[in-house]
Amino acid sequence: MGLNMSEVVSNVKLDPEALEILKAVKLAGIPEWHTLLPVEGRRVYQERVRLFAQKGTPMHSVDDLTIPGPGGQINLRKYTPSTTQKMPVLIYL
C-alpha cells in the first residue's frame, strides 16, 4: 500500500517552496518514488537533479565534516543556507 503524494499534500501545510517543487515534479511527469524499482529510482533521481539544478539554492557555506562511527569515521556534508535566521535540520541517509 503506497502513499499517494497528492493526498499527503492536501492534508499537510507545506512550505510554499516545497509545494512549488512538488508541482514542478508533477508537471515534468516524473513518477513518485514508491512506484519505482531501484534502477528506475536512480534514473528518476537524476531527472529531478537536472530539473532543479537550474534554479539552485544560494548557500552561505558548505562544509565537509567527519564524526566517529562504530566502523571508523563517517563523512558528513553540512549545508548552511543562511546565518540570519534559524533553519530546520534535515538528515539525509
Side-chain angles (χ1 to χ4, degrees):
M1 181 180 194
L3 275 178
N4 180 327
M5 188 53 78
S6 59
E7 290 175 7
V8 172
V9 171
S10 67
N11 294 325
V12 177
K13 182 173 173 68
L14 290 178
D15 177 82
E17 189 174 355
L19 284 172
E20 289 304 313
I21 290 170
L22 290 174
K23 286 178 190 175
V25 167
K26 187 172 184 171
L27 285 173
I30 298 173
E32 295 178 6
W33 296 112
H34 70 276
T35 64
L36 306 174
L37 296 172
V39 169
E40 294 170 317
R42 286 186 281 277
R43 180 186 54 76
V44 167
Y45 172 77
Q46 290 302 320
E47 288 177 26
R48 287 183 182 207
V49 167
R50 280 191 294 278
L51 178 64
F52 295 106
Q54 312 159 25
K55 277 188 165 183
T57 300
M59 287 290 144
H60 170 71
S61 64
V62 178
D63 301 298
D64 290 320
L65 311 166
T66 58
I67 60 170
Q73 294 293 316
I74 299 172
N75 296 323
L76 305 172
R77 180 163 288 154
K78 178 182 151 193
Y79 297 92
T80 307
S82 171
T83 59
T84 61
Q85 59 181 326
K86 289 185 178 184
M87 303 296 292
V89 172
L90 171 67
I91 299 175
Y92 183 74
L93 305 171

